[in-house]
Amino acid sequence: MTAPLLALCGVDYAYPNGVMALRGLNLTVAKGQKLAILGANGSGKTTLLLHLNGTLQPTRGAIRLDGQPVRYDHRALTDWRRRVGLVLQEPEDQLFAATVGQDVSFGPLNLGLSEAEAREQVNEALTALEIADLADRATHTLSFGQKKRVAIAGILAMRPELLALDEPTAGLDSQGVARLLDALQQLHETGATLVFATHDVELAYAWADQVAIFHQGTVLRQDEATVALADRDLLRRARLQSPLLLELAQLLPEPLLRSRDALLEQLRRRLKIED
């Protein structure tokens, strides 16, 4: 049996002030998966994500990458972060260079790539996020949505195997959300593994392969999205509501539909409503 790309086993984490943020946490991330870490605000999702690339080290427990225990020396961390990229919720926390091109170039150059290699990977990332035209723009002049895509491009340019995102759609309007999810879907189709922390049950239902229901620093259940999100008692325990799309889909005899457009089309057919 193939080991998961990343696994957290019995992980505890206490901040220096003594606050326990993670408690006996177990989580597996399979290669090529889209996994939603779904929990209410303040449940510890960000702390969990900071463990996925070694930014934080567990107080207790183990983390394994490809089945092997991770190490925290400089060389091991560099290799780990080359494979696992982390995008924070606030893009301002990741943007620091004067221009978009310089910012996105930082990661590849820091990995020791030549200027030609770095330029190729930067151009690919900018194109994937549809921001190639912003390469010469000053980062401080960008809109929030543009900054978010630049922050993601900076991680994509390092070609990670796993991309972890903290509340990726927070602060974006509906068009910005659609464009971002389209770019991430295209990335996933190239083989990338995606993990995103969110409190948005609708996003998790529509987009994730698996969901890990998170509450007070631990995973209550990790399962297929349609299965985990159908457990209303579990969701109430985690201070979450059942996705509206799921509740509507459960009223239909057909297999569960996970997109708004697909569900509306099915309802139109059953009600014989013309567009």
Side-chain angles (χ1 to χ4, degrees):
M1 183 176 180
T2 304
L5 176 59
L6 197 63
L8 283 71
C9 308
V11 167
D12 291 351
Y13 182 76
Y15 281 101
N17 62 4
V19 173
M20 286 292 296
L22 303 180
R23 297 177 176 84
L25 184 145
N26 295 299
L27 182 77
T28 59
V29 184
K31 187 175 179 61
Q33 185 178 65
K34 289 188 293 186
L35 172 65
I37 310 297
L38 182 61
N41 290 334
S43 59
K45 301 188 300 296
T46 299
T47 301
L48 166 57
L49 289 189
L50 291 172
H51 281 74
L52 299 187
N53 76 339
T55 300
L56 294 179
Q57 185 172 350
T59 307
R60 180 185 299 174
I63 299 178
R64 294 186 175 88
L65 188 63
D66 281 337
Q68 300 300 314
V70 298
R71 303 194 316 275
Y72 291 85
D73 57 89
H74 177 74
R75 182 174 180 178
L77 282 173
T78 298
D79 181 63
W80 188 355
R81 291 168 185 169
R82 181 185 292 117
R83 300 183 63 189
V84 179
L86 175 61
V87 180
L88 303 175
Q89 180 175 347
E90 295 296 332
E92 295 283 1
D93 294 337
Q94 288 188 249
L95 304 182
F96 56 89
T99 70
V100 169
Q102 291 171 349
D103 202 279
V104 178
S105 297
F106 177 81
L109 291 174
N110 200 44
L111 291 177
L113 299 181
S114 68
E115 288 192 15
E117 290 172 324
R119 189 180 309 112
E120 178 183 355
Q121 293 185 197
V122 167
N123 288 339
E124 285 181 5
L126 293 175
T127 300
L129 273 299
E130 299 182 1
I131 51 174
D133 58 321
L134 301 179
D136 296 323
R137 283 272 298 273
T139 52
H140 73 272
T141 67
L142 302 176
S143 69
F144 181 85
Q146 289 171 331
K147 288 179 179 178
K148 200 133 191 173
R149 282 186 284 159
V150 170
I152 295 174
I155 301 299
L156 288 190
M158 298 170 69
R159 294 183 177 173
E161 295 175 47
L162 187 155
L163 181 62
L165 306 103
D166 193 4
E167 298 285 359
T169 60
L172 299 179
D173 59 23
S174 58
Q175 184 179 33
V177 170
R179 294 178 69 180
L180 176 59
L181 293 181
D182 183 61
L184 292 176
Q185 180 62 31
Q186 291 183 44
L187 175 66
H188 177 256
E189 289 170 0
T190 68
T193 302
L194 301 178
V195 176
F196 58 101
T198 184
H199 64 276
D200 187 341
V201 294
E202 306 295 343
L203 172 64
Y205 174 68
W207 213 65
D209 301 319
Q210 277 203 348
V211 168
I213 305 296
F214 198 70
H215 181 58
Q216 294 183 346
T218 195
V219 173
L220 300 179
R221 179 177 184 177
Q222 180 177 352
D223 211 329
E224 298 300 314
T226 54
V227 175
L229 292 172
D231 190 335
R232 296 185 183 183
D233 291 337
L234 181 68
L235 292 178
R236 279 195 291 269
R237 183 180 169 192
R239 296 190 291 122
L240 298 167
Q241 290 187 322
S242 180
L244 178 60
L245 279 181
L246 174 58
E247 293 195 357
L248 291 174
Q250 288 173 329
L251 299 176
L252 299 172
E254 293 83 0
L256 291 180
L257 302 171
R258 298 179 61 186
S259 77
R260 175 180 178 275
D261 290 344
L263 183 59
L264 285 174
E265 176 61 26
Q266 190 61 252
L267 288 172
R268 288 191 186 100
R269 289 178 183 174
R270 293 189 66 81
L271 298 173
K272 299 181 180 179
I273 297 175
E274 299 292 335
D275 289 331

